[in-house]
Amino acid sequence: MRKTPERIESLAAEYVLGSLKGKARSRFERWMMESGRVRQEVWYWEEKLGQLGDQVPDREPPKSVWLAIQKRLWPQEERHSTSPKQAANRIWPVWSLFATAAALVLAVMLVQQPTLEPDSRLSGAIVQADVSDPLWLVSESSRDSRLRLRSVAATSAEAGKDYELWIVPDNGNPLSLGVIPVGDMYQVELTDEARETLSQSRTLAISLEPRGGSPTGAPTGPILHVTKLYEL
């Protein structure tokens, strides 16, 4: 499927509206992981459609709405005709009690709720030129200090070999994050050093190593993939 500007714009709008479903939605989310152009289009539509709520004019509900509410609240008086204004006057005290109680609960929750720091995360995709789907999708969480790799189109390493994941620093030797399984979610808890290094370089690499990983603490086999992560 070609990623023409027109198609990206159309799919981004559908994605933000929530009308893009199933495999098409999953495929579009992979496009977002791979393409800054796609992400920009999604952000554009989120901002554009998010403004619609401010442009909707206030409208007074028709009489039938008030009568339906009155019938639910006071079924024994459903045969008596009541004007919308009278119904509103009767309903208002009831809803005022509900609103007051809700406000008190919200106030307590706001007092008790701890202040959360912004969740600055890195994510990206490990791709291969001749493969349409990404091999792995990568995401990092600043809250639990974990890096996650979800296998998508990756295939098992050759016999007697394993894939090993590395953080590539701006300066110095690569830092191993362990052997990566294929066909499953791989999670690794980042040390303070690893997290700091990753936040600075935002670069990961995958090498082909002997079974169990590199015996030296540095890549010994060929570097198969290198990818840059971006900040969400």
Side-chain angles (χ1 to χ4, degrees):
M1 185 180 298
R2 297 185 60 189
K3 301 178 187 177
T4 62
E6 295 77 11
R7 183 159 190 80
I8 291 175
E9 179 180 358
S10 174
L11 291 176
E14 292 183 43
Y15 180 81
V16 174
L17 286 171
S19 58
L20 196 64
K21 304 290 186 181
K23 293 182 178 180
R25 189 176 185 86
S26 299
R27 182 166 56 249
F28 186 78
E29 287 174 342
R30 291 200 296 270
W31 284 9
M32 283 197 295
M33 299 293 287
E34 301 168 15
S35 171
R37 169 72 178 84
V38 175
R39 293 193 298 274
Q40 289 176 358
E41 193 66 39
V42 171
W43 295 334
Y44 167 80
W45 282 107
E46 286 177 342
E47 181 178 357
K48 193 75 172 176
L49 297 177
Q51 297 173 356
L52 294 180
D54 300 331
Q55 302 174 7
V56 178
D58 294 334
R59 294 185 58 186
E60 182 178 346
K63 181 179 179 180
S64 60
V65 174
W66 289 116
L67 293 177
I69 295 175
Q70 179 189 7
K71 183 177 179 181
R72 283 178 172 271
L73 293 178
W74 301 286
Q76 68 276 12
E77 301 180 13
E78 61 181 277
R79 295 186 179 182
H80 298 284
S81 175
T82 304
S83 68
K85 184 175 181 180
Q86 291 173 324
N89 291 336
R90 296 184 61 179
I91 293 171
W92 178 249
V94 178
W95 290 114
S96 295
L97 291 176
F98 285 132
T100 302
L104 290 174
V105 172
L106 180 59
V108 173
M109 291 177 63
L110 289 176
V111 170
Q112 296 179 345
Q113 184 71 23
T115 302
L116 297 179
E117 297 181 357
D119 184 15
S120 177
R121 295 176 294 162
L122 298 175
S123 65
I126 298 171
V127 299
Q128 186 171 313
D130 56 348
V131 178
S132 57
D133 291 330
L135 302 179
W136 286 275
L137 295 179
V138 186
S139 62
E140 180 252 354
S141 172
S142 61
R143 293 182 180 176
D144 59 8
S145 298
R146 288 181 179 273
L147 189 71
R148 299 176 175 88
L149 274 79
R150 182 167 66 86
S151 178
V152 179
T155 57
S156 299
E158 61 188 70
K161 299 288 186 179
D162 273 326
Y163 299 124
E164 189 162 354
L165 181 66
W166 306 84
I167 296 176
V168 182
D170 293 331
N171 296 291
N173 298 322
L175 181 63
S176 175
L177 294 180
V179 170
I180 312 173
V182 174
D184 201 356
M185 174 76 78
Y186 174 70
Q187 300 187 66
V188 57
E189 187 169 349
L190 299 175
T191 64
D192 292 341
E193 178 191 3
R195 189 171 178 183
E196 178 66 21
T197 303
L198 183 61
S199 67
Q200 292 178 0
S201 72
R202 301 187 180 185
T203 305
L204 295 175
I206 294 178
S207 66
L208 186 65
E209 301 293 340
R211 180 74 69 186
S214 169
T216 67
T220 61
I223 302 297
L224 303 179
H225 311 287
V226 177
T227 188
K228 275 279 190 181
L229 303 183
Y230 59 86
E231 187 172 316
L232 289 176

